[in-house]
Amino acid sequence: MPTEESRKSFINWFKKHHPREYYFFSAIESNIKKIHSSNHFGLHEGEYAPISLNIKKLEGNKYHLAADPVAALFLGTICKTIIDENSNNTEAIISDRIQQEFENRLSMKCNDCDAMNMTNAKYCNQCGKNLEIN
Ligand SMILES: [Zn+2]
C-alpha cells in the first residue's frame, strides 16, 4: 500500500499532468466517501479494503461477475459519477457548442468597420460594405 507521502506525490503529479482524469478520480472518490459514510462495512481508520473482481465461467457459456461488496460499490460509484457528471455538464456542453458554432459562423471581419459577419455574408451587417471585395 502507498505511504501518505507517496500518495501525495502521486496526486500532485496526477493533478498536473492529467487534470481531467484527476478531476474524475476525485469525483469518484467523493462519491465513494458518501456511500461508505454509512459505515456499513465498518472500516477502521487506516484500514484498507481491497477491491477484488473475478469473472467466473458458468455452464452453457455464461459468465458471472464475482465482485466483493467493496468492488461492487466501486463499480456502481464509477457509473453513478459518470452519469452525474454527464447530466451536470450537459447544459454547459450544449451552450459551449452553440457559442462555438456561433463563433465559427461569425468569421468574416469587415475591413472598414471591424464588425464580425457571418462566414458567407456578402455585405457587412454593420456598415453595408461589400465584403467580397475586401
Ligand atoms: Zn463594416
Side-chain angles (χ1 to χ4, degrees):
M1 293 300 156
T3 63
E4 191 56 25
E5 197 176 304
S6 69
R7 198 189 67 85
K8 276 181 186 165
S9 150
F10 167 73
I11 291 295
N12 287 336
W13 173 87
F14 197 14
K15 239 188 255 186
K16 185 178 173 188
H17 297 281
H18 302 282
R20 295 275 302 153
E21 289 83 352
Y22 173 74
Y23 173 80
F24 278 96
F25 172 77
S26 51
I28 291 165
E29 192 174 46
S30 163
N31 280 329
I32 282 176
K33 206 180 290 174
K34 280 179 209 158
I35 210 162
H36 279 277
S37 66
S38 68
N39 214 18
H40 178 76
F41 298 100
L43 271 182
H44 300 100
E45 229 173 277
E47 188 183 355
Y48 288 97
I51 291 171
S52 167
L53 274 178
N54 293 284
I55 294 172
K56 183 182 179 185
K57 189 172 194 292
L58 306 171
E59 252 180 70
N61 224 14
K62 289 181 179 173
Y63 292 87
H64 176 69
L65 179 63
D68 62 45
V70 177
L73 283 174
F74 179 68
L75 291 175
T77 302
I78 288 174
C79 294
K80 183 189 181 300
T81 304
I82 291 167
I83 290 167
D84 286 354
E85 285 297 317
N86 191 41
S87 42
N88 290 344
N89 292 326
T90 298
E91 198 178 310
I93 289 165
I94 289 170
S95 67
D96 278 356
R97 290 236 171 100
I98 290 169
Q99 179 75 23
Q100 199 172 17
E101 186 63 23
F102 197 67
E103 281 167 9
N104 287 344
R105 287 175 187 216
L106 280 174
S107 61
M108 284 185 73
K109 191 173 181 182
C110 175
N111 285 343
D112 268 21
C113 72
D114 287 345
M116 293 307 291
N117 288 277
M118 300 297 264
T119 306
N120 299 320
K122 290 185 169 127
Y123 299 96
C124 177
N125 201 31
Q126 191 74 37
C127 69
K129 177 92 181 176
N130 188 337
L131 295 170
E132 291 176 325
I133 295 169
N134 285 351

